[in-house]
Amino acid sequence: MTVKFNFPRRSLLACAAVAALLPGLAAAKCADIPGKGEINIVGSSMPSVQHLAKEMESCSKGTLKVTIKITPEARVETERAFGSDGKSAFDAAVISGGVYSNLASRGQLQSLTDLVAKYKVKYKIEDNMLVKSGNDVLAIAYQQNAQNLYYRKDLFDKHGIKVPTTYAEMLQAAAVIKAKEPSIEFPIAQTFSKGFDISTEFVNIYVGLGGKLFKPGTAQPAFNDEIGVRTIELMKSMVPFMTPNYLASNSDDVMNQFMQGKAAMGVLWASRAARMDDPAASKIVGKMEFAAAPAAMVGGKSATHLWWDGVAMPKNLANDRDLVFQVLMDALDEETTKAGNDSTIWIRSIYKPTRFGTGVILSMKAGAPIWPTEPYVGLATGELGKLVPEAMGGTMTPKQALDAAAVAYTRAATEKGFIK
Amino acid sequence: MKTKSFLQFVGPSVAMMLLLLAAPLLLTFYLSVRNCAMEMEMVKIEESTPFGKKETLTQRAKLDAAGKAIQSCSFVGLDYYRKVLGLDAEAAQPGGPPEAAGTIAKGDKADNEFLGALRFTMIYTFVTLPFVLGIGFLLALGVNGVSQNLKGAFISASLLPFIITPVVAALSIKWLFRDDGLVPYLLSQVGVQVFWMAQAWSARLLIILYGIWHVVPFAFIVLYAGLQSVPQDALEAATIDGASRWQKLRYVTLPHLMPLIVFITLIHLMDAYRVFEPVMVLTQGAFTTSVQYLTYHILLQESNPYKASAAAVLTLIGIVVLLIPLLVKTYREQKRGV
Amino acid sequence: MGKRPLSLSILLYGGLVFWLVIASLPVVWTAIISFRQYLDAFSSPVKWVAPFTMENYTRLWIEKEFYRNFLNTALVTVFTVTISLTVGCLAAYALSRYRGSLGFWLLMVALMFRAIPHSSLLPSFFTLFDALGIRNTYFTLIFVLVAINQPFTIWMLRSFFINIPNELDEAALVDGCTRFQAFRRVIIPVMWPGVITTGLFSFLLAYNDFLLSSALTSGDKMTMTAAIANSISAESETLLMQGVAGAVSITIPLIILVVIFQKQIVGGLTQGAVKG
């Protein structure tokens, strides 16, 4: 009897010893998070989110189940869930700086300050990652992003083109490629699709031309001024070099155009860069290089904005906040960053910058500002996203479109209480 | 049957319909005349991001003790109705540009969304109807003249567009007509290049084609059944009288099928008015929208249940107006039959 | 009818074949490309023959756990149909036997309810269900679908019940049965053909529903149609090919249904027309 008892116990001890001496080896993620239930997270289809999703879902074991919903409509779904009167459908969301501003202004994000303090050491949460409003930590950022210039170095070298530093130079480069490179009919690919994409392009170039979206200190619109008209005209001058279907080009579509070798340059999110070298999907492995987004005018700042993406939890959370936080931090730990190093520009210090991140860093150096944080920016971009395409397509003049957007925005902002 | 038994038997069904259809409808009316907004205040706050710290002057919602944004709700009358119909040119704020009123009058999309949606929904409904009836009738005639063993297989295969999940059907069509899909490729072989989903006319055409494709089987089957019951003696009498194929069709068959044609029309009007999936899948409401999609869009994208309710009520008014003639006709027939 | 001229025959068969091709093309093509990788499925120029792969399906069903969505759809559909038919049969029986004008008005009101655009109900659904905390539950979706389909269900069932001779239950009543006993003893045994047909249409309405299913479920309660909504704006490989596999997966049960129940479906469509 005694022998029987000792044997299993000793082998158990042996197993434990082995397990303790082999850290990280097949240690299932979240090995030491005690918890049960379901955790639901939502995020966009960015490559880094897909990488995080794998990490988060590998936390599912036993009674704990983690699911992440990846959808291009993540923005809308997050705002809906976090803003609902009942409990949120999602326990956490991967959000961008813009969505953060909306949610924070409505008081819909919960403070994570105490949780950060509790788990700072365990998950090595760095100060850079904390997104604070006043003294409250409302989000933990993990990646920086910006739209920067993508260009086919091989083609540029072949035709003796210098890397453009202004949009004017980019148009010249496009003209050269269109004339001299038979394989490329539409050299520029950029996210001009109606809605968020084209409105972001507008804001990038508008601010790059020195414009101010709102009258200082108020939520009154100022984007329908003369600079706004020049912005649309600059955008229109790009159209001859883009696919006729440019009003449908979203990030996925632009990526396709690059990866299929159909376009030679454009301003696109840095977070999409790594896919250019994915042999399963790309025909142009190793040929794409990255630089700062061109300035909109000579001597201007790089016409792009800096974004961060991170995770946040809603006030109307229905779950165990400690558990959710741990799952999130586990997914954002150093191992994840290391494993997915090339998939985006991580904020963590252990990130090794790759050439995919060059564009963002160069844009930053060239003075790109951070995306405006006013909570009513989303309302303005919503209206711009609907009306700028009308100006692009010629059914309205730029001034008409901008004025209509200003009126519609004013109405929406008044409805929401930003304008009294 | 005694009234008491009748009430007992229909009770559960009626209760469900009252609870989940009638009551929410009333609530929609109520919501359509209200608005809740958060109270915003200007605050100076230090915002800290991975890119550094910044003191910013911004607006934040006032929060209550539980940390939730304070909503102030009020009765706003027909405000949202006016907004959805694009009738409130005067409501432009003083800070807005002076040409604003003129711009709206020119019919910009953002404000006249409902009328634009209604226009397209009507076009869709009334363009698809004759094609559905026409093609369905031709198919019914055709199958009627085909040998027996082929009929079954043909009917099964024809049912597919009607049975298939609308969202799946719309997606299949989208994938066929994508820029790198089969149809654009085939068209490019004959020198035609169309970006189907990129412009209004082609997207609308696709939606209409979808509509016809989807409903033809229904018309076909109903009319085919009707053809089985054409009075044979009338047909024989006509043949004896020397009537041609066309005359028999016009004077015997069609009148016989008239009640069925009315039935198909009624059902089709109801369903076509509700067109949703193709609009959502093929355009996401970008430049062409239907009334049902508009309500959905306002509710989910703008997160404004009050404005959405106004759109919903306008949609309901639309279908009632559309159906009145047919409902009256059905009422008269039912009264006669019952 | 006299002998048909050859030209008309050619036109006839040609037209029918043309329609067959059009009717099945979208589905058939989607099915074909679902067994390909993205680069082969959407390539210009189009590839007529390409390597076969099951990876879209394995990724969808196993990694994305589409089987859960399938089970959700099964659950919602089975309950919706069962409850719909139960409640509907009772109401339809009464409507087929009652002579008063109340029955007539109920039918007219039901017809009007059938016309309600579903999205018109959404704003109040959201408000109500959020307040009660029941927005994302099977229970809510099932009962909403049952209510939405009641008008159609009772119209269709009534047209079948009218064909069951009054004498049958009258005899039972004379024998001393209550109304309900008469219903159970006499009607239920003979009502099945009509019930099955109505059940089929009820099934189709619940299975194919998209608007309400996607608005009222999220996370792992999503039905298959709700789950495929993710692929609507997808342009690139991952979500798109899963959507293609999903579309085919959703359609296969329907094809099986049409093949097995073709007669009932046709019968149901014509029944409504001829009698309604």
Side-chain angles (χ1 to χ4, degrees):
Chain A
M1 200 72 133
T2 354
V3 175
K4 268 211 205 128
F5 246 123
N6 278 338
F7 186 76
R9 215 202 292 163
R10 242 207 278 158
S11 68
L12 212 73
L13 274 174
C15 286
V18 168
L21 288 174
L22 294 173
L25 210 219
K29 277 289 205 156
C30 328
D32 44 358
I33 298 181
K36 62 189 190 80
E38 276 176 31
I39 298 189
N40 288 312
I41 306 174
V42 64
S44 76
S45 50
M46 282 191 293
S48 64
V49 177
Q50 304 201 18
H51 177 68
L52 286 180
K54 288 209 195 81
E55 299 292 333
M56 289 185 196
E57 284 172 344
S58 68
C59 264
S60 302
K61 64 173 196 311
T63 46
L64 178 65
K65 183 160 163 50
V66 182
T67 21
I68 176 160
K69 173 175 180 172
I70 300 214
T71 163
E73 302 297 312
R75 218 176 301 127
V76 171
E77 300 223 13
T78 306
E79 298 202 7
R80 202 197 332 164
F82 286 22
S84 105
D85 281 333
K87 291 297 179 187
S88 171
F90 297 105
D91 302 312
V94 182
I95 58 176
S96 67
V99 176
Y100 167 84
S101 299
N102 290 348
L103 296 170
S105 79
R106 297 197 283 258
Q108 289 167 348
L109 294 177
Q110 61 164 281
S111 171
L112 306 172
T113 322
D114 58 327
L115 291 168
V116 169
K118 182 172 174 191
Y119 290 107
K120 189 164 189 164
V121 171
K122 178 173 181 193
Y123 293 105
K124 303 207 182 88
I125 307 178
E126 301 176 22
D127 282 337
N128 254 15
M129 295 165 70
L130 301 178
V131 180
K132 295 201 271 208
S133 184
N135 286 327
D136 286 322
V137 176
L138 293 181
I140 312 281
Y142 71 90
Q143 90 175 11
Q144 341 177 43
N145 205 357
Q147 296 212 56
N148 59 253
L149 182 67
Y150 283 49
Y151 68 98
R152 285 279 300 278
K153 184 162 193 320
D154 58 322
L155 294 177
F156 274 46
D157 286 346
K158 177 173 165 192
H159 297 283
I161 309 175
K162 269 179 15 181
V163 180
T165 56
T166 67
Y167 265 88
E169 286 175 20
M170 186 164 100
L171 290 172
Q172 282 167 358
V176 171
I177 299 241
K178 188 173 170 112
K180 302 218 186 120
E181 182 63 35
S183 65
I184 295 198
E185 206 191 333
F186 303 115
I188 301 184
Q190 205 147 315
T191 53
F192 270 38
S193 102
K194 299 170 192 256
F196 175 75
D197 288 324
I198 202 172
S199 64
T200 314
E201 295 293 325
F202 176 87
V203 172
N204 282 347
I205 297 177
Y206 179 80
V207 172
L209 285 172
K212 300 255 174 292
L213 289 169
F214 307 103
K215 302 204 169 94
T218 73
Q220 301 279 1
F223 52 78
N224 53 333
D225 58 3
E226 190 251 323
I227 300 185
V229 175
R230 276 178 24 218
T231 307
I232 295 188
E233 285 175 356
L234 197 158
M235 288 166 74
K236 276 172 96 156
S237 66
M238 294 167 65
V239 171
F241 301 107
M242 303 199 292
T243 163
N245 207 5
Y246 65 93
L247 285 176
S249 293
N250 62 15
S251 299
D252 285 338
D253 201 62
V254 171
M255 269 173 69
N256 281 353
Q257 291 181 55
F258 285 149
M259 294 194 297
Q260 302 275 331
K262 293 204 186 128
M265 68 191 92
V267 176
L268 182 65
W269 298 100
S271 52
R272 304 267 175 167
R275 269 330 226 34
M276 297 294 122
D277 281 1
D278 177 359
S282 170
K283 293 184 184 162
I284 50 140
V285 175
K287 299 188 183 161
M288 194 64 93
E289 285 299 328
F290 314 97
M297 53 188 184
V298 178
K301 301 195 184 141
S302 174
T304 183
H305 284 90
L306 304 173
W307 290 72
W308 57 265
D309 290 271
V311 293
M313 288 160 54
K315 270 207 189 134
N316 57 348
L317 175 69
N319 218 323
D320 173 353
R321 63 192 287 265
D322 201 287
L323 179 61
V324 175
F325 187 75
Q326 288 197 65
V327 169
L328 291 173
M329 289 305 104
D330 189 278
L332 295 185
D333 65 8
E334 291 192 322
E335 277 155 44
T336 315
T337 308
K338 260 199 271 182
N341 192 72
D342 295 353
S343 65
T344 185
I345 301 95
W346 299 88
I347 292 178
R348 275 195 177 279
S349 48
I350 122 180
Y351 164 66
K352 291 201 195 30
T354 63
R355 79 172 216 280
F356 304 123
T358 337
V360 177
I361 299 179
L362 290 174
S363 300
M364 258 197 264
K365 289 210 179 116
I370 162 176
W371 181 262
T373 55
E374 293 92 334
Y376 33 88
V377 169
L379 294 177
T381 53
E383 299 306 324
L384 286 166
K386 283 188 240 175
L387 286 158
V388 170
E390 300 293 324
M392 300 292 290
T395 52
M396 285 175 125
T397 71
K399 187 81 176 100
Q400 283 173 336
L402 289 173
D403 284 342
V407 170
Y409 159 75
T410 310
R411 191 170 303 134
T414 318
E415 268 170 36
K416 300 279 181 191
F418 292 114
I419 299 182
K420 305 271 179 279
Chain B
M1 188 187 238
K2 290 200 282 279
T3 308
K4 183 168 154 237
S5 306
F6 174 74
L7 290 172
Q8 282 171 336
F9 270 85
V10 299
S13 182
V14 169
M16 276 199 185
M17 289 196 280
L18 279 179
L19 197 61
L20 287 168
L21 293 180
L25 273 185
L26 291 174
L27 183 61
T28 305
F29 278 96
Y30 173 70
L31 289 174
S32 67
V33 291
R34 291 176 68 78
N35 184 35
C36 292
M38 293 183 200
E39 290 182 27
M40 293 287 171
E41 52 180 356
M42 296 287 277
V43 289
K44 210 171 197 162
I45 221 172
E46 186 188 66
E47 307 231 13
S48 176
T49 68
F51 305 111
K53 295 195 215 289
K54 206 170 86 162
E55 273 282 310
T56 16
L57 185 65
T58 180
Q59 295 201 25
R60 284 249 184 280
K62 289 195 196 143
L63 303 177
D64 62 14
K68 240 185 97 157
I70 300 178
Q71 302 252 26
S72 65
C73 298
S74 55
F75 174 78
V76 294
L78 296 176
D79 268 4
Y80 273 130
Y81 286 94
R82 274 196 283 262
K83 280 186 194 163
V84 171
L85 286 171
L87 290 176
D88 59 345
E90 339 75 59
Q93 292 293 304
E99 310 93 74
T103 314
I104 295 172
K106 276 190 210 141
D108 70 79
K109 302 280 165 59
D111 298 313
N112 286 340
E113 279 170 353
F114 182 77
L115 292 177
L118 187 63
R119 211 177 99 230
F120 176 67
T121 310
M122 289 293 123
I123 292 177
Y124 171 82
T125 308
F126 289 106
V127 169
T128 49
L129 183 61
F131 282 98
V132 162
L133 285 171
I135 300 179
F137 183 58
L138 287 173
L139 284 177
L141 278 180
V143 172
N144 215 19
V146 152
S147 60
Q148 200 56 37
N149 31 356
L150 286 178
K151 274 186 194 166
F154 182 83
I155 292 179
S156 283
S158 302
L159 274 177
L160 202 60
F162 184 68
I163 299 291
I164 198 176
T165 316
V167 71
V168 166
L171 279 170
S172 300
I173 291 186
K174 181 177 191 176
W175 292 326
L176 260 184
F177 284 82
R178 258 170 74 105
D179 293 343
D180 41 8
L182 183 61
V183 173
Y185 170 72
L186 291 176
L187 286 178
S188 72
Q189 297 300 95
V190 292
V192 176
Q193 188 191 55
V194 184
F195 294 106
W196 291 92
M197 258 77 74
Q199 52 226 332
W201 73 267
S202 56
R204 287 182 183 158
L205 180 63
L206 263 190
I207 296 176
I208 290 177
L209 287 176
Y210 163 85
I212 299 174
W213 178 84
H214 177 63
V215 186
V216 158
F218 171 65
F220 156 53
I221 300 259
V222 170
L223 290 173
Y224 173 70
L227 281 180
Q228 307 311 306
S229 63
V230 172
Q232 287 301 313
D233 33 350
L235 274 178
E236 277 161 21
T239 319
I240 292 173
D241 280 348
S244 76
R245 179 167 275 143
W246 293 116
Q247 285 168 321
K248 275 188 276 193
L249 208 67
R250 229 182 105 193
Y251 294 111
V252 180
T253 316
L254 277 179
H256 174 76
L257 292 177
M258 214 19 106
L260 293 180
I261 293 180
V262 169
F263 171 72
I264 295 173
T265 306
L266 177 66
I267 301 288
H268 180 68
L269 283 185
M270 264 191 226
D271 289 344
Y273 186 76
R274 296 194 284 203
V275 62
F276 179 76
E277 278 93 344
V279 174
M280 175 173 205
V281 169
L282 294 170
T283 69
Q284 277 117 57
F287 37 65
T288 200
T289 182
S290 70
V291 284
Q292 168 139 261
Y293 184 78
L294 182 65
T295 309
Y296 175 87
H297 179 89
I298 297 179
L299 181 63
L300 288 169
Q301 299 280 115
E302 294 183 32
S303 278
N304 194 338
Y306 309 98
K307 193 165 166 195
S309 297
V313 171
L314 288 170
T315 308
L316 286 167
I317 294 177
I319 187 71
V320 167
V321 165
L322 188 67
L323 287 182
I324 282 179
L326 279 168
L327 279 178
V328 166
K329 192 157 185 195
T330 311
Y331 164 82
R332 289 214 189 105
E333 276 172 18
Q334 283 297 312
K335 203 104 198 159
R336 254 184 276 135
V338 166
Chain C
M1 267 202 263
K3 182 98 172 45
R4 195 189 303 126
L6 183 63
S7 56
L8 207 57
S9 279
I10 295 179
L11 204 64
L12 170 71
Y13 280 96
L16 291 180
V17 167
F18 181 67
W19 164 252
L20 267 184
V21 169
I22 301 266
S24 47
L25 183 66
V27 180
V28 166
W29 183 249
T30 306
I32 291 177
I33 62 174
S34 70
F35 292 106
R36 299 181 181 179
Q37 291 193 318
Y38 173 72
L39 281 177
D40 295 329
F42 295 103
S43 69
S44 44
V46 156
K47 291 196 186 147
W48 297 108
V49 186
F52 180 94
T53 169
M54 289 286 294
E55 68 178 30
N56 297 325
Y57 287 92
T58 47
R59 278 218 209 107
L60 176 72
W61 280 83
I62 301 176
E63 271 179 43
K64 288 288 161 191
E65 299 196 341
F66 198 63
Y67 67 86
R68 291 187 144 257
N69 302 114
F70 175 77
L71 290 172
N72 288 336
T73 301
L75 185 93
V76 169
T77 323
V78 165
F79 274 94
T80 303
V81 172
T82 316
I83 301 177
S84 276
L85 289 177
T86 311
V87 171
C89 277
L90 293 171
Y93 171 66
L95 285 166
S96 68
R97 296 294 184 254
Y98 183 68
R99 300 261 165 258
S101 59
L102 198 57
F104 168 72
W105 285 112
L106 178 57
L107 280 172
M108 294 311 297
V109 169
L111 188 62
M112 302 210 45
F113 273 162
R114 188 194 178 286
I116 296 177
H118 300 172
S119 66
S120 299
L121 295 166
L122 271 186
S124 29
F125 278 166
F126 274 22
T127 317
L128 275 173
F129 297 156
D130 270 346
L132 293 170
I134 55 171
R135 186 157 120 191
N136 186 24
T137 65
Y138 294 115
F139 171 86
T140 315
L141 180 61
I142 290 172
F143 276 93
V144 163
L145 287 175
V146 169
I148 294 253
N149 289 330
Q150 272 306 289
F152 164 83
T153 308
I154 60 181
W155 264 91
M156 192 170 229
L157 281 173
R158 173 182 168 271
S159 71
F160 284 110
F161 277 113
I162 285 198
N163 283 346
I164 302 178
N166 281 20
E167 294 75 46
L168 284 177
D169 38 329
E170 302 268 321
L173 287 174
V174 162
D175 279 350
C177 288
T178 66
R179 230 351 140 163
F180 191 70
Q181 284 170 326
F183 176 73
R184 226 180 64 206
R185 298 233 186 101
V186 175
I187 304 295
I188 289 188
V190 298
M191 71 177 187
W192 291 108
V195 169
I196 289 177
T197 305
T198 311
L200 273 172
F201 281 90
S202 217
F203 169 84
L204 279 177
L205 284 164
Y207 187 88
N208 285 347
D209 175 77
F210 170 70
L211 197 155
L212 292 165
S213 302
S214 63
L216 294 176
T217 58
S218 57
D220 55 348
K221 292 210 180 61
M222 288 207 289
T223 58
M224 291 199 287
T225 48
I228 211 177
N230 280 349
S231 310
I232 290 179
S233 8
E235 291 281 335
S236 76
E237 187 194 338
T238 25
L239 285 177
L240 185 60
M241 291 321 287
Q242 280 163 23
V244 177
V248 179
S249 306
I250 294 179
T251 310
I252 291 180
L254 290 177
I255 295 182
I256 299 177
L257 204 79
V258 170
V259 168
I260 299 180
F261 290 106
Q262 184 216 309
K263 236 173 82 187
Q264 283 83 349
I265 296 178
V266 171
L269 285 173
T270 56
Q271 180 81 2
V274 173
K275 296 295 177 181

